[in-house]
């Protein structure tokens, strides 16, 4: 594990914050987290404040509640807060009220995650992944109007359906995990993954490419495919399940499954976010358990 050249107490705080960003992609690597921060600053600087605020609130809540120090430094109590800060900053106009909401959401994400982590380790539950982010995200988006938050309207993108845009869509899919649609931001995120592990970078590329191909086969709208909205879940699925090198079929089944599940959320009126990634992984992992192919649960659930 990479250690930062700082005083112990500062290093612990800085590592936890940076690991919180890298844990979005199921990595524990401060350098990876730093590059992801840079990707946000380059690709969507208006989201950077919300990401930092959400991650800090999640971390502080875990510290004040005296959750396991190893989990805190690993960034497990950070990534859901970062994602919530990004989501709320993307959907609503900045205000003091929004900042307070991000603080509350980040802290609440740690409180929700803590019992889920215990259940994984003590009762052999399925991994939590980004479930706190998705559940709280749906709730907060629904409460936007009652809370009188001002929504941000984003004009639709129009893409030329050619080989260049298709290649860029694979990179956009990796960046869209953290709501970044600029190819340069996706490239920085991909570089961060290669810095953490070359296998992580390869799996992310494979996952985004496979999800894009599946969405094209399903006849999904070009704006969603070329904008990377399918690739993001494919990349996360590959990163999550690609660790089991003995059974690559799990990844090859789960990525198309996630792409098939994604349109269903539009039908029920919910933003998909990372929910297809969670459901596809849960279904595959549950199937492995039923077939007696699952590994014993480790101390780290991600």
């Amino acid at each position: 594990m990479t250690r930062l050249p700082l005083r112990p107490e500062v290093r612990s705080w800085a590592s936890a914050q940076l690991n919180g960003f890298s844990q979005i992609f199921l990595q524990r690597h401060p350098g990876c987290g730093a590059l992801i921060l840079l990707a946000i600053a380059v690709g969507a600087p208006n989201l950077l404040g919300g990401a930092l605020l959400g991650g800090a609130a999640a971390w502080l809540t875990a510290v004040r509640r005296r959750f396991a120090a190893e989990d805190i430094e690993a960034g497990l109590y950070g990534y859901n807060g970062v994602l919530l800060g990004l989501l709320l900053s993307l959907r609503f106009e900045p205000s003091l009220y929004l900042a307070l909401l991000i603080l509350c959401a980040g802290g609440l994400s740690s409180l929700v995650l803590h019992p889920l982590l215990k259940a994984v380790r003590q009762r052999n539950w399925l991994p939590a992944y980004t479930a706190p982010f998705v559940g709280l995200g749906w709730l907060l988006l629904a409460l936007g109007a009652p809370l009188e938050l001002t929504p941000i309207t984003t004009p639709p993108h129009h893409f030329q359906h050619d080989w260049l845009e298709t290649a860029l869509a694979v990179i956009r899919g990796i960046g869209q995990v953290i709501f970044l649609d600029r190819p340069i931001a996706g490239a920085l995120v991909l570089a961060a993954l290669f810095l953490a592990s070359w296998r992580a970078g390869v799996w992310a590329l494979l996952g985004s490419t496979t999800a894009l191909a599946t969405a094209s086969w399903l006849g999904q709208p070009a704006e969603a495919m070329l904008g990377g909205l399918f690739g993001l879940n494919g990349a996360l699925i590959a990163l999550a399940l690609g660790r089991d090198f003995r059974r690559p079929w799990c990844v090859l089944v789960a990525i198309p499954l996630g792409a098939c599940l994604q349109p269903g959320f539009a039908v029920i009126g919910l933003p998909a976010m990372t929910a297809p990634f969670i459901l596809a992984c849960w279904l595959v992992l549950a199937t492995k358990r039923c077939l007696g192919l699952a590994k014993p649960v480790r101390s780290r659930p991600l």
Side-chain angles (χ1 to χ4, degrees):
M1 181 183 68
T2 304
R3 298 186 69 84
L4 301 175
L6 301 170
R7 293 175 59 184
E9 62 274 16
V10 178
R11 183 174 62 231
S12 177
W13 172 82
S15 294
Q17 298 300 306
L18 294 176
N19 285 334
F21 281 85
S22 66
Q23 285 285 6
I24 297 171
F25 295 87
L26 297 96
Q27 308 300 311
R28 179 181 178 175
H29 194 288
C32 174
L35 269 180
I36 291 171
L37 263 175
L38 178 62
I40 298 171
V42 170
N46 57 307
L47 306 183
L48 185 59
L52 290 169
L53 196 60
W59 168 82
L60 182 60
T61 301
V63 170
R64 296 294 296 174
R65 296 290 296 176
R66 298 184 179 180
F67 295 156
E70 171 64 18
D71 289 344
I72 294 173
E73 186 166 353
L76 298 185
Y77 293 105
Y79 68 96
N80 283 291
V82 171
L83 287 170
L84 286 167
L86 287 167
L87 174 66
L88 294 174
S89 299
L90 178 72
R91 293 299 185 92
F92 301 110
E93 294 284 353
S95 65
L96 178 60
Y97 194 21
L98 180 63
L100 292 174
L101 186 62
I102 292 173
L103 281 171
C104 294
L108 188 57
S109 72
S110 288
L111 298 178
V112 172
L113 181 63
H114 180 63
L116 295 178
L117 289 180
K118 289 183 65 177
V120 170
R121 293 164 176 171
Q122 298 176 7
R123 304 178 201 169
N124 203 29
W125 281 21
L126 294 170
Y129 295 128
T130 54
F133 155 66
V134 172
L136 291 173
W138 283 340
L139 176 63
L140 292 170
L141 291 179
L143 292 175
L147 293 175
E148 299 183 352
L149 296 173
T150 305
I152 295 176
T153 55
T154 305
H157 293 281
H158 299 285
F159 301 97
Q160 296 292 331
H161 207 192
D162 55 25
W163 68 268
L164 177 59
E165 286 296 344
T166 301
L168 292 177
V170 174
I171 305 299
R172 285 193 183 98
I174 298 171
Q176 281 284 14
V177 174
I178 50 175
F179 307 102
L180 304 179
D181 60 0
R182 294 179 60 186
I184 187 173
L188 283 170
V189 174
L190 182 60
L193 292 174
F194 272 107
L195 178 63
S197 165
W198 68 266
R199 290 186 178 89
V202 171
W203 275 122
L205 281 172
L206 176 64
S208 183
T209 302
T210 306
L212 178 62
T214 304
S216 178
W217 179 73
L218 292 172
Q220 293 302 308
E223 289 76 13
M225 290 190 300
L226 298 179
L229 298 182
F230 281 85
L232 75 94
N233 285 292
L236 286 175
I237 291 168
L239 287 167
L241 299 182
R243 300 179 177 192
D244 188 355
F245 299 111
R246 297 177 302 171
R247 299 187 179 92
W249 64 264
C250 294
V251 182
L252 300 177
V253 169
I255 295 172
L257 177 60
C260 292
L261 288 171
Q262 187 160 334
F265 290 93
V267 173
I268 60 177
L270 289 174
M273 297 191 286
T274 58
F277 147 63
I278 299 169
L279 290 178
C281 287
W282 281 353
L283 287 170
V284 169
L285 291 174
T287 301
K288 286 175 63 179
R289 291 187 182 185
C290 291
L291 297 176
L293 302 175
K295 291 182 178 180
V297 175
R298 300 177 180 178
S299 61
R300 248 181 104 242
L302 291 179

